Amino acid sequence: MKQLIETTDKMNTVESLSDSLKQMGVQVGKPLLVHSSLSALGWTNGGSVAVIQALIEVVTEEGTLVMPTQSGDLSDPKNWQSPAVPKEWWEEIRSTMPTYDPDKTPTCGMGQIAELFRTWPGVIRSGHPSLSFAAWGKSNAEIMADHPIAFGLGEASPLAKLYDADAYVLFLGTQYDTNTCFHLGEYRAPSYDLQWQGAPVTCNGQSQWMTYRDIIFAEEEFSKMGNAFEQKYEVVKGQVGQAETRLFSLRQAVDFSTQWFTEKRKG
């Protein structure tokens, strides 16, 4: 905290954040998918609370504010890499892992803002045990409904609904390597590779380990893809607090990702 204060030129408030978001072009009534880093903003009076209040103030109840609230630790231990666990632990991990609960299960690696947002009054969180989203505002129930476990970022996911709603993506101090919407393009491009995944879910009131199919993601492509995307499409760049900020069309990003992976898989 001391270092954050010392490196902040001007502290952030709800008002200053709101003003900056409006200057970036965040619109009332448009669905907005937000990726965020609290520390990148500089010292903020009120922390994550102030950031969420500012976003809500700008989007208003006429729009819908969405954040990824993934809990990737609720997944099959055989696929864990950072760190991997011994094979002899796998079955016990599966049988004893707490069941996904949208009200209780914390996010994993999503940052402080998303972790607070999932508990915010009026927010609905989707039902996927490891790839959930949370939403506040006009269309939150519609966008979060019926999130399937298999192919969790594909055609029946909140991402596809955001695509249909012509949503925008906002980076607050994050980069393309975490750009969730690029994943939808991975599904839409042909010839993807599949894997088995698993997670603890509640079925008929009972906890059970469910296995399901999903594609093998290629996030290592995202940074390079993002740089290429900016050469073709409009990306509004600015600053909110001290954070480098980007605002762009989710639909255009998904279409670009689809083309990118289509061409890559041909090779």
Side-chain angles (χ1 to χ4, degrees):
M1 181 64 71
K2 180 181 177 182
Q3 182 179 5
L4 186 62
I5 292 172
E6 291 175 345
T7 56
T8 298
D9 297 327
K10 183 179 180 181
M11 76 173 190
N12 302 306
T13 65
V14 174
E15 183 179 4
S16 69
L17 293 171
S18 298
D19 289 343
S20 295
L21 289 167
K22 292 173 184 175
Q23 291 172 12
M24 280 290 300
V26 176
Q27 298 178 29
V28 172
K30 274 282 188 182
L32 185 70
L33 177 63
V34 178
H35 293 261
S36 60
S37 168
L38 180 61
S39 61
L41 293 167
W43 192 82
T44 300
N45 187 19
S48 297
V49 173
V51 178
I52 295 171
Q53 285 182 343
L55 285 164
I56 286 174
E57 182 177 301
V58 176
V59 171
T60 79
E61 292 183 352
E62 292 302 309
T64 308
L65 180 62
V66 183
M67 296 188 194
T69 52
Q70 298 171 7
S71 44
D73 48 343
L74 266 66
S75 59
D76 198 320
K78 73 177 182 180
N79 298 322
W80 294 355
Q81 298 295 327
S82 301
V85 294
K87 186 175 181 179
E88 56 267 25
W89 291 9
W90 292 357
E91 283 306 316
E92 186 174 3
I93 288 173
R94 293 178 185 128
S95 65
T96 60
M97 185 179 290
T99 302
Y100 173 72
D101 183 325
D103 294 326
K104 298 176 183 177
T105 302
T107 60
C108 179
M110 296 288 102
Q112 297 180 53
I113 296 170
E115 172 59 20
L116 177 63
F117 182 69
R118 73 172 181 84
T119 69
W120 197 267
V123 164
I124 296 175
R125 191 179 186 188
S126 69
H128 198 288
S130 62
L131 298 173
S132 68
F133 292 80
W136 175 94
K138 184 177 181 179
S139 301
N140 62 346
E142 175 186 346
I143 293 172
M144 295 298 104
D146 304 319
H147 189 173
I149 293 181
F151 305 102
L153 297 177
E155 294 301 338
S157 73
L159 283 178
K161 295 174 183 177
L162 289 168
Y163 180 97
D164 292 341
D166 196 19
Y168 274 70
V169 179
L170 177 68
F171 290 168
L172 290 175
T174 61
Q175 301 292 329
Y176 287 102
D177 59 337
T178 63
N179 185 30
T180 310
C181 77
F182 276 163
H183 285 301
L184 183 56
E186 292 190 84
Y187 289 85
R188 294 184 171 181
S191 305
Y192 48 67
D193 294 322
L194 293 173
Q195 66 177 342
W196 284 103
Q197 266 291 2
V201 298
T202 301
C203 184
N204 297 323
Q206 300 294 319
S207 176
Q208 70 175 60
W209 184 262
M210 177 178 287
T211 57
Y212 59 93
R213 296 288 262 172
D214 214 326
I215 72 172
I216 298 174
F217 296 131
E219 292 101 334
E220 67 276 6
E221 292 287 321
F222 284 11
S223 292
K224 183 179 178 181
M225 194 190 318
N227 291 333
F229 171 70
E230 290 192 355
Q231 303 305 309
K232 185 173 182 180
Y233 291 104
E234 180 182 7
V235 176
V236 179
K237 297 180 181 180
Q239 191 167 311
V240 174
Q242 295 188 174
E244 183 181 359
T245 306
R246 287 174 167 83
L247 180 70
F248 55 90
S249 164
L250 182 144
R251 184 175 290 177
Q252 290 178 348
V254 171
D255 289 346
F256 187 82
S257 174
T258 303
Q259 181 182 11
W260 179 279
F261 282 107
T262 298
E263 293 299 321
K264 182 174 179 61
R265 291 169 187 167
K266 285 180 180 179

